Amino acid sequence: MQTWRLDGGVSTLVLASSGGVPEAVYWGQSLPKCENLEMLARASNLDITGGSLDIVPPLSLCPQPSDLFPGQPGLILRHSDGTAHVPSFKFESVDARQGSITLTCIDARHKDLHLSIDIEMDAETGVLKLQSCFKASEAMQIVWLAAPVLALSEQATHTIEFAGKWCGEFQRFENPITPGARLRESVTGRSGHETFPSLIVRSPRGCRGFHYGWSGGHRMVSAQISDGRRYVMFGDATNSSLVPLKEDCSKPLFAVWGGDENAMAASFQTYARKTLARPANTSVPRPVHYNCWEAIYFNHDVDTLKDIATRAADLGAERFVLDDGWFGTRDDDTSSLGDWDVDPRKFPDGFAPLIDHVKSKGMRFGIWFEPEMINRNSELFRANPDWVLGDHEQPLGRNQLVLNLTMPEVRAYLQEKLSNILAHNDIDYVKWDHNRVLPVKDSNQTAGFYDLLRDLRDEFPHVDFESCASGGGRIDYGVLEHCCRVWLSDSNDALERWKMQLSASAFLPSEVMGAHVGPRTCHTSGRVLTMQFRAWVAASRHMGFEMDPRELTDEEAAILKDVTQWYKDNRDWLHKATVHRLPQSDPAMLGEVQLSDDGSQFVAMVAQMDVSEQVSPHRIRLCGLDPAAMYKVSLRNPEDAARVSRGDVALRDGPVTLSGRALMDHGVQTPNAFPATMWVLEGTRQ
């Protein structure tokens, strides 16, 4: 038996092989350096009993039907004539380096078929990056190729998935682990609002998180087979490769073990912040955005936009973003996608007058594109109808079709058009949208999107890109290699946003998530919310505004200025902080604590989402603090207490100083509040 180990963060991964595809025999809390790995692997062996095979089929990094594994296979191949090929891989060689390992296996019956497994472990966070690749002399149809498969602890009790819809992304669903398999597949050609490509597995002795870093759809299987073993596998959606290939790879699977869900989330946040989603200029803070979409929609008028820009700057905005409606003859969503030229009716002198005005107010300028899409009513479609992906008679989505990015001439056209806009205007930010699902699931379409975005970033290294797909339809670690910001949802309803932001923090750092102060009456839900609540929800992430500033009362404007200044004063440390989900016993309350990287300060934001069942809300119990340290805690906004609140609540009168242990185990009481109130508790270690 051969064994190997990788260590990082607070975890260890142990791999072993007795001649076949290696298995992950241990993945959990760090093991002593002196651990006998071969004995550990042998100590995991199952017994054989009546009614079973005379061997225990291995749950390897690529489970094989040839081993009679009774669960889902890690690889499904077909020859060009459609017949199945069932490989029998045997271990061949290893290349072990500091923090990474490559394991190579060869098909025992077809020596020209190779399987390689690459695993890296980040030393700081313990995040694993796992990828499977196959190579053959014959082009074969890849029905399914899983990233390396990891076994789960038999103590695992529940899984947490994130699903949703447009304007309702990142909803948490908890499921008990039971015998059988749970299959989830995203076949819309993008990550999808419906199924964020991730999974959390909870157990009494730790929490395991998985994320598939690919923007073109995924397939996830979590299963428990009859002998009690459990596993998780991720890969591209089945049959995503439309043509036979001689070689291919899964996309990276990111996985981490943590002592609990917050520890797991902290590792993912730190890893993403360190290796992904980096803005073009890391030496300056991320600017407060103003996006004009929900103020004017398609009604672009230079004088009106200048007036709005002036008001936005006075409120504290630092970047003005011109959204949909500036190009072609785009007066609604039925025309002009693909015609990426400035509309001379709306901008007779181009963008220069507006950009000059925006810059005179101390703001930078950004712009919206939707490059992958086309309208039938467009010059581009009339000239090149064969550039459309799929059948021309397919159903439309938001009145649009999709351009075929597998065609080099399509990418070249888009590169030229977008480059022309970016080269001739002072633009440092692009909101890149994607407003419909794909008619076919072709992995090469997503690869074409990555190539186009990579080429534009190389040409314009000073430009930041944001991923938007009707909001949260394309958010994953694959797109975050190219974009430093994501638009989490098209919903600016702060109550809904708060839930989404907290759920997404299991995988994303706070500064990556764009969060905007929406209109007083939300355009997607009709809900009316106070400026205090809308502003604090936005200030908890990468802050921006998206309402019409002309609707604000003097009081609302003053509140927004105050919260925006708080955000600016604190973003340097907030954008390095880890977000911890608070253990709240009151179901009417939902909160988090953002803890600075050195642990010296924190802010806890706790939303009163509904009316508590009892007279008073439960105490706010914090987490992530040093139990032995003393903390001075202040309530930033005691004036937001409900009119009926009149008790002797300590935080109302000024700061309290308590130990980390007291704050985490006992908690602090806040005043009574009406629903849609955000309590903001600021703390410093004494």
PDB file of all heavy atoms in Angstrom, residues 40-65:
ATOM      1  N   LEU A  40      -3.650   3.854   9.405  1.00  0.00           N
ATOM      2  CA  LEU A  40      -4.898   4.609   9.343  1.00  0.00           C
ATOM      3  C   LEU A  40      -5.782   4.106   8.209  1.00  0.00           C
ATOM      4  O   LEU A  40      -7.001   3.931   8.377  1.00  0.00           O
ATOM      5  CB  LEU A  40      -4.588   6.096   9.145  1.00  0.00           C
ATOM      6  CG  LEU A  40      -5.794   7.027   8.985  1.00  0.00           C
ATOM      7  CD1 LEU A  40      -6.561   7.150  10.289  1.00  0.00           C
ATOM      8  CD2 LEU A  40      -5.342   8.405   8.513  1.00  0.00           C
ATOM      9  N   ALA A  41      -5.171   3.850   7.047  1.00  0.00           N
ATOM     10  CA  ALA A  41      -5.940   3.342   5.915  1.00  0.00           C
ATOM     11  C   ALA A  41      -6.506   1.961   6.219  1.00  0.00           C
ATOM     12  O   ALA A  41      -7.679   1.671   5.940  1.00  0.00           O
ATOM     13  CB  ALA A  41      -5.070   3.304   4.663  1.00  0.00           C
ATOM     14  N   ARG A  42      -5.676   1.091   6.801  1.00  0.00           N
ATOM     15  CA  ARG A  42      -6.154  -0.267   7.118  1.00  0.00           C
ATOM     16  C   ARG A  42      -7.245  -0.235   8.181  1.00  0.00           C
ATOM     17  O   ARG A  42      -8.173  -1.052   8.160  1.00  0.00           O
ATOM     18  CB  ARG A  42      -4.987  -1.129   7.598  1.00  0.00           C
ATOM     19  CG  ARG A  42      -4.009  -1.528   6.498  1.00  0.00           C
ATOM     20  CD  ARG A  42      -3.083  -2.644   6.963  1.00  0.00           C
ATOM     21  NE  ARG A  42      -3.844  -3.807   7.364  1.00  0.00           N
ATOM     22  CZ  ARG A  42      -3.585  -4.553   8.451  1.00  0.00           C
ATOM     23  NH1 ARG A  42      -2.591  -4.211   9.259  1.00  0.00           N
ATOM     24  NH2 ARG A  42      -4.313  -5.602   8.732  1.00  0.00           N
ATOM     25  N   ALA A  43      -7.129   0.718   9.107  1.00  0.00           N
ATOM     26  CA  ALA A  43      -8.142   0.819  10.162  1.00  0.00           C
ATOM     27  C   ALA A  43      -9.504   1.238   9.619  1.00  0.00           C
ATOM     28  O   ALA A  43     -10.509   1.142  10.326  1.00  0.00           O
ATOM     29  CB  ALA A  43      -7.681   1.814  11.223  1.00  0.00           C
ATOM     30  N   SER A  44      -9.542   1.708   8.368  1.00  0.00           N
ATOM     31  CA  SER A  44     -10.796   2.117   7.740  1.00  0.00           C
ATOM     32  C   SER A  44     -11.458   0.987   6.970  1.00  0.00           C
ATOM     33  O   SER A  44     -12.596   1.146   6.485  1.00  0.00           O
ATOM     34  CB  SER A  44     -10.535   3.291   6.773  1.00  0.00           C
ATOM     35  OG  SER A  44      -9.846   4.337   7.408  1.00  0.00           O
ATOM     36  N   ASN A  45     -10.763  -0.146   6.798  1.00  0.00           N
ATOM     37  CA  ASN A  45     -11.303  -1.229   5.977  1.00  0.00           C
ATOM     38  C   ASN A  45     -12.611  -1.770   6.537  1.00  0.00           C
ATOM     39  O   ASN A  45     -12.731  -2.028   7.740  1.00  0.00           O
ATOM     40  CB  ASN A  45     -10.286  -2.373   5.868  1.00  0.00           C
ATOM     41  CG  ASN A  45      -9.092  -2.011   5.008  1.00  0.00           C
ATOM     42  OD1 ASN A  45      -9.131  -1.035   4.265  1.00  0.00           O
ATOM     43  ND2 ASN A  45      -8.030  -2.808   5.108  1.00  0.00           N
ATOM     44  N   LEU A  46     -13.582  -1.960   5.655  1.00  0.00           N
ATOM     45  CA  LEU A  46     -14.860  -2.550   6.048  1.00  0.00           C
ATOM     46  C   LEU A  46     -14.747  -4.062   6.099  1.00  0.00           C
ATOM     47  O   LEU A  46     -13.934  -4.681   5.399  1.00  0.00           O
ATOM     48  CB  LEU A  46     -15.953  -2.148   5.056  1.00  0.00           C
ATOM     49  CG  LEU A  46     -16.278  -0.656   4.945  1.00  0.00           C
ATOM     50  CD1 LEU A  46     -17.407  -0.451   3.944  1.00  0.00           C
ATOM     51  CD2 LEU A  46     -16.658  -0.078   6.294  1.00  0.00           C
ATOM     52  N   ASP A  47     -15.605  -4.667   6.873  1.00  0.00           N
ATOM     53  CA  ASP A  47     -15.691  -6.127   6.935  1.00  0.00           C
ATOM     54  C   ASP A  47     -16.502  -6.639   5.744  1.00  0.00           C
ATOM     55  O   ASP A  47     -17.203  -5.885   5.068  1.00  0.00           O
ATOM     56  CB  ASP A  47     -16.355  -6.526   8.252  1.00  0.00           C
ATOM     57  CG  ASP A  47     -16.125  -7.986   8.605  1.00  0.00           C
ATOM     58  OD1 ASP A  47     -15.407  -8.678   7.846  1.00  0.00           O
ATOM     59  OD2 ASP A  47     -16.679  -8.436   9.621  1.00  0.00           O
ATOM     60  N   ILE A  48     -16.397  -7.927   5.499  1.00  0.00           N
ATOM     61  CA  ILE A  48     -17.184  -8.596   4.463  1.00  0.00           C
ATOM     62  C   ILE A  48     -18.118  -9.564   5.160  1.00  0.00           C
ATOM     63  O   ILE A  48     -17.717 -10.311   6.059  1.00  0.00           O
ATOM     64  CB  ILE A  48     -16.270  -9.338   3.468  1.00  0.00           C
ATOM     65  CG1 ILE A  48     -15.365  -8.337   2.732  1.00  0.00           C
ATOM     66  CG2 ILE A  48     -17.090 -10.151   2.478  1.00  0.00           C
ATOM     67  CD1 ILE A  48     -14.293  -8.997   1.892  1.00  0.00           C
ATOM     68  N   THR A  49     -19.356  -9.570   4.761  1.00  0.00           N
ATOM     69  CA  THR A  49     -20.347 -10.405   5.431  1.00  0.00           C
ATOM     70  C   THR A  49     -21.244 -11.075   4.405  1.00  0.00           C
ATOM     71  O   THR A  49     -21.018 -10.975   3.193  1.00  0.00           O
ATOM     72  CB  THR A  49     -21.171  -9.541   6.414  1.00  0.00           C
ATOM     73  OG1 THR A  49     -22.053 -10.381   7.155  1.00  0.00           O
ATOM     74  CG2 THR A  49     -21.979  -8.484   5.690  1.00  0.00           C
ATOM     75  N   GLY A  50     -22.252 -11.797   4.882  1.00  0.00           N
ATOM     76  CA  GLY A  50     -23.140 -12.529   3.995  1.00  0.00           C
ATOM     77  C   GLY A  50     -23.878 -11.620   3.032  1.00  0.00           C
ATOM     78  O   GLY A  50     -24.230 -10.487   3.352  1.00  0.00           O
ATOM     79  N   GLY A  51     -24.131 -12.137   1.833  1.00  0.00           N
ATOM     80  CA  GLY A  51     -24.877 -11.390   0.841  1.00  0.00           C
ATOM     81  C   GLY A  51     -24.089 -10.319   0.147  1.00  0.00           C
ATOM     82  O   GLY A  51     -24.646  -9.521  -0.620  1.00  0.00           O
ATOM     83  N   SER A  52     -22.765 -10.261   0.397  1.00  0.00           N
ATOM     84  CA  SER A  52     -21.946  -9.222  -0.220  1.00  0.00           C
ATOM     85  C   SER A  52     -20.876  -9.871  -1.080  1.00  0.00           C
ATOM     86  O   SER A  52     -20.654 -11.085  -1.044  1.00  0.00           O
ATOM     87  CB  SER A  52     -21.305  -8.340   0.851  1.00  0.00           C
ATOM     88  OG  SER A  52     -20.444  -9.099   1.677  1.00  0.00           O
ATOM     89  N   LEU A  53     -20.187  -9.036  -1.862  1.00  0.00           N
ATOM     90  CA  LEU A  53     -19.079  -9.519  -2.662  1.00  0.00           C
ATOM     91  C   LEU A  53     -17.947  -9.994  -1.755  1.00  0.00           C
ATOM     92  O   LEU A  53     -17.922  -9.686  -0.564  1.00  0.00           O
ATOM     93  CB  LEU A  53     -18.574  -8.394  -3.576  1.00  0.00           C
ATOM     94  CG  LEU A  53     -19.550  -7.871  -4.633  1.00  0.00           C
ATOM     95  CD1 LEU A  53     -18.985  -6.622  -5.292  1.00  0.00           C
ATOM     96  CD2 LEU A  53     -19.821  -8.945  -5.680  1.00  0.00           C
ATOM     97  N   ASP A  54     -17.003 -10.692  -2.356  1.00  0.00           N
ATOM     98  CA  ASP A  54     -15.848 -11.166  -1.600  1.00  0.00           C
ATOM     99  C   ASP A  54     -14.771 -10.094  -1.459  1.00  0.00           C
ATOM    100  O   ASP A  54     -13.702 -10.356  -0.910  1.00  0.00           O
ATOM    101  CB  ASP A  54     -15.245 -12.404  -2.274  1.00  0.00           C
ATOM    102  CG  ASP A  54     -16.218 -13.586  -2.214  1.00  0.00           C
ATOM    103  OD1 ASP A  54     -17.114 -13.562  -1.353  1.00  0.00           O
ATOM    104  OD2 ASP A  54     -16.083 -14.496  -3.045  1.00  0.00           O
ATOM    105  N   ILE A  55     -15.034  -8.920  -1.990  1.00  0.00           N
ATOM    106  CA  ILE A  55     -14.172  -7.749  -1.795  1.00  0.00           C
ATOM    107  C   ILE A  55     -15.075  -6.578  -1.431  1.00  0.00           C
ATOM    108  O   ILE A  55     -16.292  -6.636  -1.618  1.00  0.00           O
ATOM    109  CB  ILE A  55     -13.365  -7.393  -3.058  1.00  0.00           C
ATOM    110  CG1 ILE A  55     -14.336  -7.047  -4.211  1.00  0.00           C
ATOM    111  CG2 ILE A  55     -12.423  -8.520  -3.457  1.00  0.00           C
ATOM    112  CD1 ILE A  55     -13.674  -6.325  -5.347  1.00  0.00           C
ATOM    113  N   VAL A  56     -14.457  -5.544  -0.921  1.00  0.00           N
ATOM    114  CA  VAL A  56     -15.187  -4.288  -0.715  1.00  0.00           C
ATOM    115  C   VAL A  56     -14.806  -3.362  -1.870  1.00  0.00           C
ATOM    116  O   VAL A  56     -13.659  -2.929  -1.963  1.00  0.00           O
ATOM    117  CB  VAL A  56     -14.824  -3.635   0.625  1.00  0.00           C
ATOM    118  CG1 VAL A  56     -15.550  -2.289   0.762  1.00  0.00           C
ATOM    119  CG2 VAL A  56     -15.183  -4.562   1.782  1.00  0.00           C
ATOM    120  N   PRO A  57     -15.742  -3.046  -2.791  1.00  0.00           N
ATOM    121  CA  PRO A  57     -15.395  -2.168  -3.920  1.00  0.00           C
ATOM    122  C   PRO A  57     -14.909  -0.818  -3.415  1.00  0.00           C
ATOM    123  O   PRO A  57     -15.533  -0.193  -2.551  1.00  0.00           O
ATOM    124  CB  PRO A  57     -16.719  -2.028  -4.679  1.00  0.00           C
ATOM    125  CG  PRO A  57     -17.521  -3.226  -4.282  1.00  0.00           C
ATOM    126  CD  PRO A  57     -17.141  -3.507  -2.866  1.00  0.00           C
ATOM    127  N   PRO A  58     -13.763  -0.361  -3.906  1.00  0.00           N
ATOM    128  CA  PRO A  58     -13.200   0.880  -3.372  1.00  0.00           C
ATOM    129  C   PRO A  58     -14.021   2.113  -3.754  1.00  0.00           C
ATOM    130  O   PRO A  58     -14.509   2.233  -4.871  1.00  0.00           O
ATOM    131  CB  PRO A  58     -11.805   0.936  -4.002  1.00  0.00           C
ATOM    132  CG  PRO A  58     -11.911   0.088  -5.232  1.00  0.00           C
ATOM    133  CD  PRO A  58     -12.891  -0.990  -4.918  1.00  0.00           C
ATOM    134  N   LEU A  59     -14.143   3.004  -2.783  1.00  0.00           N
ATOM    135  CA  LEU A  59     -14.720   4.322  -3.031  1.00  0.00           C
ATOM    136  C   LEU A  59     -13.535   5.227  -3.330  1.00  0.00           C
ATOM    137  O   LEU A  59     -13.015   5.916  -2.468  1.00  0.00           O
ATOM    138  CB  LEU A  59     -15.500   4.827  -1.812  1.00  0.00           C
ATOM    139  CG  LEU A  59     -16.538   5.929  -1.998  1.00  0.00           C
ATOM    140  CD1 LEU A  59     -17.277   6.195  -0.689  1.00  0.00           C
ATOM    141  CD2 LEU A  59     -15.980   7.228  -2.544  1.00  0.00           C
ATOM    142  N   SER A  60     -13.083   5.169  -4.579  1.00  0.00           N
ATOM    143  CA  SER A  60     -11.843   5.836  -4.964  1.00  0.00           C
ATOM    144  C   SER A  60     -12.110   7.269  -5.401  1.00  0.00           C
ATOM    145  O   SER A  60     -13.253   7.735  -5.434  1.00  0.00           O
ATOM    146  CB  SER A  60     -11.169   5.058  -6.102  1.00  0.00           C
ATOM    147  OG  SER A  60     -11.925   5.200  -7.299  1.00  0.00           O
ATOM    148  N   LEU A  61     -11.027   7.972  -5.764  1.00  0.00           N
ATOM    149  CA  LEU A  61     -11.155   9.326  -6.285  1.00  0.00           C
ATOM    150  C   LEU A  61     -11.879   9.350  -7.627  1.00  0.00           C
ATOM    151  O   LEU A  61     -12.371  10.404  -8.050  1.00  0.00           O
ATOM    152  CB  LEU A  61      -9.773   9.972  -6.434  1.00  0.00           C
ATOM    153  CG  LEU A  61      -8.988  10.151  -5.128  1.00  0.00           C
ATOM    154  CD1 LEU A  61      -7.550  10.571  -5.435  1.00  0.00           C
ATOM    155  CD2 LEU A  61      -9.649  11.169  -4.223  1.00  0.00           C
ATOM    156  N   CYS A  62     -11.971   8.202  -8.286  1.00  0.00           N
ATOM    157  CA  CYS A  62     -12.780   8.042  -9.497  1.00  0.00           C
ATOM    158  C   CYS A  62     -13.435   6.665  -9.426  1.00  0.00           C
ATOM    159  O   CYS A  62     -12.902   5.678  -9.957  1.00  0.00           O
ATOM    160  CB  CYS A  62     -11.918   8.168 -10.753  1.00  0.00           C
ATOM    161  SG  CYS A  62     -12.861   8.069 -12.302  1.00  0.00           S
ATOM    162  N   PRO A  63     -14.567   6.545  -8.744  1.00  0.00           N
ATOM    163  CA  PRO A  63     -15.209   5.234  -8.576  1.00  0.00           C
ATOM    164  C   PRO A  63     -15.489   4.567  -9.927  1.00  0.00           C
ATOM    165  O   PRO A  63     -15.925   5.231 -10.878  1.00  0.00           O
ATOM    166  CB  PRO A  63     -16.505   5.574  -7.837  1.00  0.00           C
ATOM    167  CG  PRO A  63     -16.235   6.882  -7.156  1.00  0.00           C
ATOM    168  CD  PRO A  63     -15.328   7.623  -8.084  1.00  0.00           C
ATOM    169  N   GLN A  64     -15.241   3.239  -9.978  1.00  0.00           N
ATOM    170  CA  GLN A  64     -15.293   2.535 -11.263  1.00  0.00           C
ATOM    171  C   GLN A  64     -16.298   1.396 -11.255  1.00  0.00           C
ATOM    172  O   GLN A  64     -16.279   0.559 -10.335  1.00  0.00           O
ATOM    173  CB  GLN A  64     -13.917   1.954 -11.595  1.00  0.00           C
ATOM    174  CG  GLN A  64     -12.804   2.973 -11.667  1.00  0.00           C
ATOM    175  CD  GLN A  64     -11.514   2.350 -12.162  1.00  0.00           C
ATOM    176  OE1 GLN A  64     -11.224   2.363 -13.347  1.00  0.00           O
ATOM    177  NE2 GLN A  64     -10.737   1.778 -11.247  1.00  0.00           N
ATOM    178  N   PRO A  65     -17.128   1.292 -12.286  1.00  0.00           N
ATOM    179  CA  PRO A  65     -17.975   0.102 -12.432  1.00  0.00           C
ATOM    180  C   PRO A  65     -17.165  -1.181 -12.558  1.00  0.00           C
ATOM    181  O   PRO A  65     -17.616  -2.249 -12.137  1.00  0.00           O
ATOM    182  CB  PRO A  65     -18.758   0.396 -13.722  1.00  0.00           C
ATOM    183  CG  PRO A  65     -18.760   1.885 -13.837  1.00  0.00           C
ATOM    184  CD  PRO A  65     -17.431   2.319 -13.286  1.00  0.00           C
TER     185      PRO A  65
END
